[in-house]
Amino acid sequence: MGRLARAGLYAGALIGPFGGAVTTSILPEIGDSFGRSAGQAASTLTYYLVPFAVLMLVSGTFAQRWGPQRTVRVAYVAYAVTSLLAAGAWTFEVLLASRALQGAANSFTTPVLLAVIAASTPKEKLGRALGLFGSMQAAGQTSAPLVGGLTAEVDWRLAFVVIAVVAVGLAVLGVPETEAEPERDASLRSAFVPSTIRPAVIAFVGWGCLGGLSFLVAFRLDDVFGLGAGERGLLLTGFGIVGFLTARHIGKAIDRFGATTTVVVGATLGGGLIAAAGTSPFAAVVVVAWALTGAAAQGVLVSINALVLQGETANRGGSVSVVQSLRFMGAASAPLAFVPLYQSHPLLGFLVPAVLLVVVPAIVTWSGRGAGTRRTPRPGAPPPPR
């Protein structure tokens, strides 16, 4: 059961992004079932992501109090039940409610899984473990539109039945036992410390300016190159495929060079690739640049997870949940921030996030190093001279 639980630990990384993105390719079919437009059906994405991101601000702390085994099993069962509710939704409002409940349940899985990985992995191998976790998340994000589309050929509701069955299986497996005991007195305040806030800021900017920018790439492929919806969707999957293929290698780089170095390198490369995708007059360059951005995104995401999990925070689960919450809030904020810029001038829509990627992570990590160099006096030692 130990090996099976370990396998379930990484499989759990796939189901969250998969469940969130599974409706992206079947919005017209969902809309037709309820007499709604595809645009209205797109609210199924929002209803999933908002409670998912908001509840993750606190879910890790509560999971720290309840213990990982109990939290994960309850969350997976809730995920399965709400997925079946979505599959059997008799009105559009019921579908939206089920999607919101799905997102709420999933907010109690990802932070716990990451905390268990940190607690059950030797520190010198943590980067590789987090890289594998990141690759599974990328696989879930990338495969969801394909699986959703294939099941919609029969009935879009089958996609949610598949999710429910997988969630039940994961609930049976649980997660590996660790030596860490539940911390009944874990406080929400203990998660909001500088060693958490710094990676959270990078997560907000990094994911908002990388993964959250796919819609702008789609706009440009349509506006400049005249590609159809099917072509755009196929070309955009390169981001997830490259992310899946490179995440484990990025984890190895973290173990060798350190998370601070890899997060700055990943963000800087991402900034250059976003600029290339937004300025190149050749469609092939745009597509290749966007695909390689998937590797840069993993460089940022895997590194920030390592930064927060390698820290000495008293509330590891709460800290990682705050970072993950800010990551998805960044993605949710991207359209609000960058669509007006793109409409003002297409270059601004790409160059502003490119600059943010180069500047913000470098400044944040530099300030963190400065904070880390301050020495703490030993108990009973005399105060330093003024």
Side-chain angles (χ1 to χ4, degrees):
M1 179 59 74
R3 289 186 177 181
L4 287 176
R6 191 75 182 178
L9 181 62
Y10 291 102
L14 185 148
I15 193 172
F18 183 94
V22 73
T23 64
T24 55
S25 61
I26 56 177
L27 295 177
E29 288 78 10
I30 292 176
D32 290 343
S33 296
F34 300 105
R36 306 296 178 104
S37 68
Q40 290 173 312
S43 58
T44 57
L45 299 171
T46 304
Y47 271 73
Y48 181 95
L49 286 173
V50 170
F52 174 58
V54 171
L55 281 176
M56 267 207 292
L57 285 171
V58 299
S59 63
T61 298
F62 287 126
Q64 198 88 348
R65 296 176 182 176
W66 302 331
Q69 284 283 355
R70 180 192 304 176
T71 302
V72 163
R73 284 202 162 103
V74 171
Y76 280 142
V77 169
Y79 200 85
V81 170
T82 55
S83 297
L84 291 176
L85 179 62
W90 55 95
T91 68
F92 188 61
E93 289 72 23
V94 171
L95 177 62
L96 292 180
S98 66
R99 290 290 284 166
L101 293 171
Q102 271 188 309
N106 188 39
S107 71
F108 285 87
T109 61
T110 302
V112 179
L113 299 178
L114 286 167
V116 171
I117 287 175
S120 60
T121 304
K123 196 168 185 177
E124 65 274 10
K125 296 181 179 179
L126 181 59
R128 275 167 277 190
L130 294 175
L132 177 57
F133 189 89
S135 70
M136 295 302 292
Q137 286 191 311
Q141 186 77 30
T142 304
S143 62
L146 175 62
V147 174
L150 291 176
T151 56
E153 294 293 333
V154 180
D155 191 329
W156 63 265
R157 297 174 186 271
L158 291 176
F160 291 102
V161 175
V162 171
I163 295 171
V165 171
V166 174
V168 170
L170 291 172
V172 173
L173 292 177
V175 295
E177 296 286 352
T178 66
E179 296 180 359
E181 295 291 333
E183 298 182 18
R184 310 296 182 189
D185 58 347
S187 66
L188 295 175
R189 182 181 300 178
S190 64
F192 292 87
V193 294
S195 61
T196 299
I197 299 302
R198 284 190 289 268
V201 169
I202 298 174
F204 181 87
V205 172
W207 194 241
C209 296
L210 289 169
L213 225 61
S214 60
F215 68 95
L216 275 193
V217 179
F219 284 175
R220 189 158 194 264
L221 291 174
D222 178 23
D223 295 340
V224 178
F225 304 106
L227 299 184
E231 295 171 307
R232 297 194 304 270
L234 178 63
L235 295 176
L236 288 175
T237 60
F239 178 95
I241 293 172
V242 173
F244 170 74
L245 294 174
T246 57
R248 294 191 71 180
H249 298 290
I250 290 165
K252 293 178 181 178
I254 291 171
D255 290 334
R256 183 175 181 181
F257 302 110
T260 300
T261 299
T262 53
V263 74
V264 173
V265 170
T268 302
L269 289 176
L273 291 167
I274 289 296
T279 58
S280 175
F282 303 105
V285 174
V286 175
V287 171
V288 171
W290 177 247
L292 294 176
T293 302
Q298 289 298 326
V300 173
L301 296 180
V302 178
S303 297
I304 58 173
N305 285 335
L307 282 172
V308 70
L309 290 171
Q310 288 172 347
E312 300 300 327
T313 175
N315 185 358
R316 179 179 283 165
S319 294
V320 76
S321 72
V322 170
V323 170
Q324 291 296 310
S325 175
L326 267 291
R327 166 193 169 184
F328 288 101
M329 287 184 183
S333 302
L336 298 175
F338 301 130
V339 166
L341 292 175
Y342 182 84
Q343 291 173 338
S344 173
H345 195 293
L347 287 180
L348 290 176
F350 289 91
L351 294 183
V352 169
V355 171
L356 290 173
L357 283 167
V358 173
V359 173
V360 174
I363 291 176
V364 171
T365 54
W366 178 81
S367 66
R369 283 176 173 173
T373 60
R374 298 189 184 98
R375 300 181 62 182
T376 302
R378 298 186 311 273
R386 296 184 179 275

